[in-house]
Amino acid sequence: MLIIFQLLISIIVLIAIANVIAKKKDNTLGPKAMLFWILFWLAVVCVVIWPNSVQLIADYIGIGRGADVVVYSALVVLFFLVFKMNIKIEGLKRDLTKVVREKSLE
Amino acid sequence: MTNNIISDIKNENMFIAIVPAYNEEKRIASVVKSLRAHVDEVVVVDDCSTDDTARIAGKLGATVLSHGVNLGQGASLETGHEYARKKQADYVLHFDGDEQFDVADIVPALEKLQTTHKDILFGSRFLDNRSNMPFFKRHILLPVGRMVNILFASIPLRDAQNGFRILNAHALDMIHISQNRMAHATEIMSLVKKYDLTYIEFPVKVYYHEYGQAMSGGFRIMRDLVVGKFVK
């Protein structure tokens, strides 16, 4: 059962990484973002294939279960991404304002 | 001698009124008409209205600047600033497009700003008793608004959210509004502090047609101010 699950996730991750590389080729993804996403998906594969690896981290930093480590770090990463996105949207808003203003003053 | 001539020419101060307007077709006509008697040029910044605001204002002799996308009152004021800077205006007036204010306050306010040699004048509803403010607004919404201002801006204005302001050329040069929506009122005050501009408050009358901003508006202002701290 576990093997099937691991295989399935691994295939999904492979597709995801292929996607990331394709996006980089299209120039819709920067080199830093590409690196981040590839590392992210590789980490997912590692955790799925060796579930005990997160337990090691959990023991090391004093969190009870390996699964909790995954949930906590996912939360942190998500918060960070939402924050960054907010900032980016605000930047876009300012660019839009500039363009609309310049046009209205023509 | 030359100085005298220059100062004589300078007596012809250019005074521009900036009127941010969004779907104000019912009220913009009387605002533009009454303003024209008190200022040299009326600039209506039409914030992508879906009604006839722009056409009516243009027909009555206002300069109309049209936003292609609705950006908000702060953005409209800054568009007006940009225009006034290009025209090298000596004074600009912020005046709401919804007949809230009384044009009779303009000339005394300008004279006050000139005689006191300050950079910016803020209208205030609290310096006299002419404005009939709803109870909830006077005793709950505005005190809360004042606390937010202390947190983010820190110049002690009695009526921080009042849209009646007059800026001289120096203030116009320094104050660039980046808060597109309602947080611009607080932003203007923090810029006054940042650039050490001098200011006075002046009593103005405010007519209440309908409720201004609801509570949710206040929360949105706080959010805009917090996010704005992280964006350059």
Side-chain angles (χ1 to χ4, degrees):
Chain A
M1 191 59 202
L2 195 62
I3 300 294
I4 294 172
F5 178 69
Q6 285 171 332
L7 243 154
L8 210 71
I9 297 284
S10 305
I11 290 167
I12 291 172
V13 166
L14 270 179
I15 294 169
I17 290 181
N19 233 321
V20 168
I21 292 169
K23 287 243 166 70
K24 172 70 178 64
K25 280 193 177 146
D26 285 358
N27 268 334
T28 43
L29 213 61
K32 257 200 263 171
M34 177 184 75
L35 195 69
F36 169 81
W37 285 113
I38 288 178
L39 287 178
F40 172 80
W41 287 116
L42 287 178
V44 170
V45 166
C46 287
V47 171
V48 170
I49 294 178
W50 300 287
N52 286 334
S53 59
V54 275
Q55 188 59 53
L56 286 177
I57 302 170
D59 290 340
Y60 183 71
I61 53 179
I63 295 171
R65 293 184 308 166
D68 290 344
V69 173
V70 175
V71 172
Y72 295 158
S73 42
L75 265 177
V76 169
V77 170
L78 279 176
F79 266 116
F80 176 69
L81 288 180
V82 167
F83 175 74
K84 269 195 82 162
M85 229 184 236
N86 241 315
I87 300 291
K88 196 157 244 170
I89 289 172
E90 202 59 29
L92 283 173
K93 251 199 297 196
R94 299 211 169 169
D95 291 345
L96 173 73
T97 303
K98 217 172 119 193
V99 172
V100 170
R101 179 166 297 137
E102 271 165 20
K103 195 155 178 292
S104 77
L105 288 165
E106 267 168 15
Chain B
M1 187 62 198
T2 333
N3 270 344
N4 273 343
I5 296 169
I6 290 171
S7 67
D8 279 344
I9 296 169
K10 253 332 213 188
N11 271 338
E12 298 274 315
N13 283 324
M14 196 204 289
F15 188 23
I16 294 181
I18 301 171
V19 183
Y22 176 64
N23 290 346
E24 296 287 359
E25 64 178 0
K26 288 194 191 111
R27 292 180 170 142
I28 198 73
S30 81
V31 172
V32 171
K33 269 192 258 175
S34 50
L35 268 176
R36 287 194 70 195
H38 297 83
V39 298
D40 299 310
E41 184 175 359
V42 179
V43 176
V44 171
V45 185
D46 171 40
D47 202 9
C48 203
S49 297
T50 50
D51 66 5
D52 246 359
T53 305
R55 198 187 55 81
I56 294 170
K59 213 173 71 186
L60 291 168
T63 305
V64 179
L65 307 174
S66 291
H67 283 171
V69 174
N70 179 268
L71 295 175
Q73 196 182 32
S76 303
L77 286 172
E78 182 55 29
T79 298
H81 280 183
E82 201 59 49
Y83 177 84
R85 284 182 204 116
K86 278 190 184 158
K87 281 253 175 161
Q88 299 184 309
D90 298 290
Y91 294 95
V92 295
L93 165 73
H94 293 176
F95 201 84
D96 287 355
D98 56 2
E99 289 186 294
Q100 259 204 67
F101 298 128
D102 193 337
V103 287
D105 285 325
I106 296 171
V107 171
L110 180 64
E111 279 170 7
K112 181 82 179 174
L113 186 66
Q114 287 171 329
T115 52
T116 52
H117 300 288
K118 305 281 188 192
D119 295 317
I120 179 165
L121 175 143
F122 292 96
S124 172
R125 288 162 276 193
F126 304 114
L127 298 177
D128 61 18
N129 287 323
R130 286 183 295 158
S131 307
N132 58 327
M133 198 176 307
F135 177 87
F136 185 64
K137 189 155 191 159
R138 180 184 283 261
H139 295 286
I140 294 169
L141 281 191
L142 284 164
V144 170
R146 228 171 290 156
M147 268 155 58
V148 172
N149 286 317
I150 290 168
L151 271 174
F152 287 96
S154 66
I155 68 167
L157 284 193
R158 295 231 256 160
D159 188 7
Q161 307 302 329
N162 196 308
F164 184 106
R165 304 178 194 92
I166 301 179
L167 287 68
N168 71 4
H170 178 54
L172 179 63
D173 270 344
M174 304 313 284
I175 293 180
H176 291 252
I177 302 168
S178 65
Q179 288 289 355
N180 279 359
R181 308 243 162 227
M182 296 314 287
H184 70 270
T186 308
E187 188 189 19
I188 288 174
M189 291 185 293
S190 53
L191 292 175
V192 165
K193 180 151 195 239
K194 184 174 173 190
Y195 295 118
D196 257 332
L197 303 175
T198 52
Y199 64 92
I200 39 163
E201 291 186 90
F202 187 80
V204 296
K205 187 174 166 80
V206 174
Y207 299 96
Y208 287 93
H209 302 292
E210 58 194 60
Y211 223 63
Q213 332 179 25
M215 271 308 224
S216 61
F219 288 119
R220 196 166 324 128
I221 290 172
M222 294 240 267
R223 192 207 62 195
D224 287 353
L225 287 169
V226 172
V227 172
K229 290 252 181 240
F230 294 100
V231 184
K232 262 285 147 266

